[in-house]
Amino acid sequence: MSGSRMLYVGYLREGETSLQRLKAFQRLGFDVQPLDVMKRPEASAWRRFGFRLANRLFRLGLPVPLPDVAGVNQALRELFHDAGPFEWVWLDKPLLIRPETIRTLRSEHPATRWAAFSPDDMGQRHNQSQSFLDTLPLLDLFVTTKSFLVAELKALGSPCVLFMNNGYDPETHRPVPVTPEMRETFGGPVGFIGSYEAERASYLMYLATQGIPVRVWGGISWRRCPWRHPNLRLEYRELVGPAYAPAICSFDINLCFLRKMNRDRQTTRSVEIPACGAFMLAERTEEHRQLFMEDKEAVFFGSREELLEKCRYYLDHPEERRAIAQKGLARCRQGGYDYASRLREVLSRFDEHRRRR
């Protein structure tokens, strides 16, 4: 693994988990060549319109490929020519990579192993593209954080699908000393960081009407929230990069809701919150209970009534709250929940899979 050359294709903006996994590969000793999809030339207005139209037609069920508005396929071929060969190509959520690109590069560099990853529910059409469906059988490995997707992606033609629990980046997700100014800027008694969903909003509004002050960071998606209340404070911007951990640490209770449209059983926040040494109150699932001991390393709820009861209890019991947060942090560190450990383990399992074949 150490010294292996890897071409890493993803959205590499500061705060993106894609960049965090790239750095994890570097910690594992990979010589990583990045290809940042976000830094490709800006597409014209006409090409952006064509992209939106193709995406809409695909979601309606037509086999329409997305136009490569970022020129990623050409950049991929150029990097192979100028900086190759590579032992690994790692693609984060490859929606634009065309099957002919992979076939051509495979024929020229047969020793290169092709892997892809996505934290999203790639079994559902709103997360897919026609290029994704066409390239899936050409990849050596697909890594998913959705356990139920292993069988579904194999049925779509993937030769090897491996499940990996969500991870965290030790540089980003870490305990941060909280000052009064930081708590005023970011935090409060109860907080949620994430995008709008109707069910999430209804739970938060319920807490607010029952006297629980709630603060939400999640961008302009929360403008769709139909409710307003003095106890519900909506911040219409996202928290990424260096602001993320301070915000988590500035809340007494961090809520962890799951995205129902993605059939989540765990999410990135499931590990990031405890890795910050913060108290997490999350939806109860079997995967959450496997990651953290209930009421020892994290606390879970299964209804809005139970959510209210536990918010009230742990707001009134700060010592218990802090003890659980510390044990959750220890579980992250001792359990190898960081991205480097997660990726090392999944590549080891892939090597075992290849030997068996």
Side-chain angles (χ1 to χ4, degrees):
M1 194 178 299
S2 180
S4 296
R5 303 198 68 233
M6 172 182 285
L7 175 56
Y8 193 107
V9 184
Y11 298 88
L12 304 180
R13 183 181 65 177
E14 188 66 34
E16 295 283 350
T17 61
S18 182
L19 179 60
Q20 294 163 13
R21 286 184 292 275
L22 182 152
K23 292 178 179 179
F25 278 121
Q26 291 175 327
R27 293 189 195 102
L28 292 174
F30 281 89
D31 177 10
V32 182
Q33 170 71 52
L35 174 53
D36 188 353
V37 174
M38 301 188 73
K39 288 188 176 180
R40 302 302 303 155
E42 179 70 20
S44 65
W46 176 249
R47 296 197 72 192
R48 292 196 300 271
F49 170 76
F51 182 93
R52 291 192 296 270
L53 176 60
N55 190 41
R56 176 61 62 89
L57 293 174
F58 175 78
R59 291 191 180 196
L60 290 174
L62 299 176
V64 179
L66 295 177
D68 183 5
V69 293
V72 177
N73 289 271
Q74 179 63 29
L76 195 60
R77 290 190 292 268
E78 290 174 355
L79 276 172
F80 261 85
H81 180 268
D82 297 337
F86 300 99
E87 291 156 271
W88 282 92
V89 176
W90 185 276
L91 309 170
D92 256 29
K93 197 173 181 180
L95 298 181
L96 300 179
I97 306 300
R98 297 170 181 154
E100 55 267 28
T101 299
I102 297 181
R103 290 192 186 98
T104 298
L105 293 175
R106 270 196 174 282
S107 66
E108 297 172 353
H109 307 276
T112 300
R113 285 169 283 183
W114 291 75
F117 169 91
S118 177
D120 292 323
D121 183 354
M122 301 307 293
Q124 299 202 68
R125 201 164 181 90
H126 68 265
N127 283 320
Q128 298 171 344
S129 70
Q130 189 59 47
S131 293
F132 167 77
L133 295 174
D134 292 340
T135 59
L136 191 59
L138 304 177
L139 302 172
D140 297 294
L141 168 66
F142 195 94
V143 180
T144 177
T145 56
K146 314 292 185 191
S147 56
F148 53 85
L149 275 185
V150 173
E152 292 184 19
L153 293 180
K154 285 182 178 178
L156 289 174
S158 177
C160 178
V161 185
L162 295 179
F163 166 69
M164 182 182 85
N165 283 301
N166 281 281
Y168 74 97
D169 173 34
E171 294 180 0
T172 304
H173 311 115
R174 67 199 191 285
V176 177
V178 179
T179 64
E181 294 78 16
M182 185 186 301
R183 184 175 170 88
E184 175 65 25
T185 300
F186 295 115
V190 178
F192 174 67
I193 302 174
S195 59
Y196 170 82
E197 279 194 349
E199 183 181 277
R200 296 172 175 181
S202 68
Y203 272 57
L204 297 176
M205 185 62 179
Y206 175 72
L207 291 179
T209 60
Q210 298 302 310
I212 304 295
V214 181
R215 191 172 186 179
V216 180
W217 295 91
I220 61 174
S221 68
W222 280 93
R223 296 194 184 278
R224 288 182 280 161
C225 181
W227 301 295
R228 298 294 183 270
H229 192 278
N231 285 331
L232 182 59
R233 183 175 176 181
L234 302 178
E235 307 284 358
Y236 301 112
R237 69 183 180 94
E238 297 180 1
L239 288 177
V240 295
Y244 186 65
I248 289 174
C249 294
S250 296
F251 286 115
D252 297 329
I253 294 175
N254 285 271
L255 302 180
C256 180
F257 292 109
L258 301 175
R259 184 175 281 278
K260 301 304 186 294
M261 68 183 298
N262 276 348
R263 300 182 286 175
D264 282 352
R265 299 173 186 177
Q266 57 174 281
T267 186
T268 53
R269 285 182 296 275
S270 303
V271 177
E272 293 168 352
I273 293 169
C276 290
F279 179 88
M280 180 173 72
L281 179 52
E283 292 188 60
R284 184 182 291 105
T285 67
E286 189 55 37
E287 289 187 17
H288 270 162
R289 297 175 73 179
Q290 291 171 0
L291 287 167
F292 299 101
M293 292 178 60
E294 185 165 7
D295 298 330
K296 301 292 184 182
E297 299 166 336
V299 177
F300 306 127
F301 67 92
S303 67
R304 67 179 194 171
E305 291 78 16
E306 187 180 12
L307 172 62
L308 174 62
E309 173 192 345
K310 292 190 171 178
C311 281
R312 285 175 170 167
Y313 179 85
Y314 284 104
L315 286 175
D316 289 341
H317 294 80
E319 292 302 321
E320 287 186 47
R321 194 177 67 231
R322 285 190 283 268
I324 290 172
Q326 286 303 303
K327 290 177 181 176
L329 172 61
R331 180 66 176 268
C332 289
R333 291 177 172 176
Q334 297 167 12
Y337 288 6
D338 61 285
Y339 276 126
S341 298
R342 294 291 200 212
L343 293 168
R344 180 192 297 114
E345 191 265 342
V346 81
L347 291 183
S348 176
R349 287 162 52 205
F350 174 65
D351 286 339
E352 292 177 11
H353 170 81
R354 293 182 70 216
R355 285 195 292 270
R356 287 197 302 269
R357 293 187 65 184

